[in-house]
């Protein structure tokens, strides 16, 4: 257990430093938003490009891992929508937003800092593949379900609109460029690779600081049962479903199995309440984000223990 805590504790200490800095006025919350934009638009894209461009396409494009992660995530989203909308009679926009919270991870800001300590370079490859699933499938699908219900139509045109928007996402552009360089087998100039590496190195600590600052001011508003369902679905059901997909499809690179569990076990996207604001559920989703982030210190440590002692997947 001490070795597990040595991996997870620094993550939450940096988040705590971000929270304290904003809570006591050293930073304004608007400052953390600027830092967040820097991470999302520069650091994480640099990290993704670095992870993909330095390898061959065969090494980075593991279809089995991609399928396993997508299968597990879509299974959780489908189950959440069915339970919330069909069985518990919640409005579809609420069900879709809760399902998104259960099935999409904060891979870049929290998942990567943990996975990189466990797995090294493979963590960057898994990050890129997971972000393909989250940005191309999970977010557009949830938004399309909510928009379809809110507009009262049977059209899924919002899904295509979401996909077009993703084409301008710096992270998606970085993934595409990284895959292109890998496919072409190009050797980039050392000055470029060093520059990208320096920017990429800032991703983890700055991202964690931003997450901590973003939690300041969030309140546990909304229904406790709804919050508990989202937290349990994200921290327990999502990694369990991805584990099932990994056991079924068996990725070619063994380290990716551990990466899939780590990325699925972290809290939901930091922009989760922002996405839900359109449908009037930002309060519920912000509260769910806060509770899930706090509880994840225990559950992530538990999943790492499972990887070490139960499955023997992480050395």
């Amino acid at each position: 257990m001490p070795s597990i805590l040595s991996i997870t504790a620094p993550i939450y200490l940096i988040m705590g430093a971000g929270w304290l800095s904003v809570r006591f006025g050293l930073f304004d919350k608007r400052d953390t938003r600027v830092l967040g934009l820097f991470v999302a638009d520069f650091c994480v894209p640099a990290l993704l490009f670095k992870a993909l461009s330095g390898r061959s396409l065969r090494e980075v494009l593991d279809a089995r891992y991609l399928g396993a992660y997508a299968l597990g995530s879509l299974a959780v989203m489908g189950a959440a929508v069915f339970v919330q909308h069909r069985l518990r009679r919640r409005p579809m926009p609420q069900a879709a937003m809760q399902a998104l919270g259960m099935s999409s991870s904060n891979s870049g800001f929290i998942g990567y800092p943990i996975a990189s300590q466990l797995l090294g370079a493979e963590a960057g490859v898994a990050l890129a593949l997971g972000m393909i699933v989250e940005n191309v499938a999970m977010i557009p699908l949830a938004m399309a379900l909510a928009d379809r219900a809110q507009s009262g139509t049977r059209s899924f045109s919002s899904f295509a609109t979401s996909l077009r928007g993703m084409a301008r996402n710096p992270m998606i552009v970085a993934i595409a460029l990284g895959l292109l360089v890998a496919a072409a087998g190009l050797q980039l100039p050392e000055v470029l690779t060093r520059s990208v590496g320096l920017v990429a190195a800032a991703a983890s600590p700055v991202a964690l600081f931003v997450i901590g600052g973003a939690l300041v001011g969030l309140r546990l508003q909304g229904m406790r049962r709804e919050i508990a369902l989202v937290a349990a679905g994200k921290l327990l059901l999502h990694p369990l479903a991805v584990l099932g997909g990994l056991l079924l499809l068996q990725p070619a690179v063994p380290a990716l199995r551990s990466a899939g569990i780590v990325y699925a076990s972290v809290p939901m996207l930091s922009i989760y309440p922002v996405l839900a604001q359109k449908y009037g559920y930002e309060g519920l989703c912000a509260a769910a984000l806060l509770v899930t982030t706090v509880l994840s210190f225990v559950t992530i440590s538990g999943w790492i223990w499972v990887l070490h002692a139960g499955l023997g997947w992480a050395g």
Side-chain angles (χ1 to χ4, degrees), residues 229-250:
L229 281 172
V230 175
K234 183 69 207 69
L235 299 177
L236 301 177
L237 184 59
H238 191 203
L240 190 61
V242 170
L243 172 60
L246 293 167
L247 291 173
L248 179 65
L249 297 181
Q250 294 291 324

Side-chain angles (χ1 to χ4, degrees), residues 79 81-90:
V81 168
F82 178 78
V83 170
Q84 289 296 88
H85 184 59
R86 293 293 185 181
L87 300 184
R88 304 188 71 225
R89 303 297 181 184
R90 299 296 185 261

Side-chain angles (χ1 to χ4, degrees), residues 16-242:
W19 187 89
L20 289 170
S21 297
V22 174
R23 175 65 179 80
F24 292 102
L26 185 60
F27 281 86
D28 189 88
K29 202 160 185 178
R30 288 171 295 183
D31 298 330
T32 64
R33 293 192 184 100
V34 174
L35 290 174
L37 288 173
F38 171 65
V39 172
D41 291 346
F42 289 94
C43 297
V44 173
L47 173 64
L48 294 169
F49 179 79
K50 179 176 180 287
L52 298 176
S53 62
R55 295 164 174 255
S56 69
L57 191 62
R58 174 179 291 183
E59 288 179 300
V60 300
L61 203 55
D62 192 316
R64 292 186 179 182
Y65 176 82
L66 197 64
Y69 198 83
L71 181 64
S73 300
L74 289 169
V76 172
M77 176 170 281
V81 168
F82 178 78
V83 170
Q84 289 296 88
H85 184 59
R86 293 293 185 181
L87 300 184
R88 304 188 71 225
R89 303 297 181 184
R90 299 296 185 261
M92 177 56 83
Q94 178 183 338
M97 289 300 99
Q98 288 181 285
L100 178 64
M102 296 183 200
S103 59
S104 292
S105 297
N106 197 334
S107 303
F109 284 19
I110 301 179
Y112 178 76
I114 298 173
S116 61
Q117 294 181 73
L118 283 172
L119 307 168
E122 297 298 341
V125 175
L127 172 64
L129 295 176
M131 282 192 164
I132 291 174
V133 174
E134 291 161 2
N135 287 283
V136 175
M138 309 310 299
I139 296 175
L141 181 57
M143 301 293 283
L145 287 171
D147 286 343
R148 183 172 179 259
Q150 195 171 62
S151 65
T153 68
R154 295 184 176 275
S155 171
F156 278 99
S157 59
S158 56
F159 184 83
T161 302
S162 297
L163 288 180
R164 285 195 294 270
M166 292 302 171
R168 298 188 296 273
N169 186 322
M171 298 181 197
I172 297 299
V173 172
I175 290 172
L177 290 175
L179 290 174
L180 185 63
V181 171
L186 297 177
Q187 187 70 36
L188 298 177
E190 185 175 356
V191 64
L192 178 60
T193 58
R194 285 182 176 272
S195 299
V196 171
L198 285 173
V199 177
S204 294
V206 179
L208 294 170
F209 189 90
V210 167
I211 287 292
L215 295 177
V216 175
L218 295 185
R219 296 289 184 266
L220 297 182
Q221 299 170 345
M223 298 167 282
R224 292 185 179 181
R225 183 173 295 180
E226 306 300 330
I227 295 170
L229 281 172
V230 175
K234 183 69 207 69
L235 299 177
L236 301 177
L237 184 59
H238 191 203
L240 190 61
V242 170

Side-chain angles (χ1 to χ4, degrees), residues 12 15 215 220 227-236 265-267 287-303:
Y12 290 87
M15 289 172 60
L215 295 177
L220 297 182
I227 295 170
L229 281 172
V230 175
K234 183 69 207 69
L235 299 177
L236 301 177
S265 69
V266 302
L289 173 63
L290 174 59
V291 171
T292 305
T293 302
V294 172
L295 293 178
S296 66
F297 175 71
V298 176
T299 57
I300 291 172
S301 298
W303 280 110

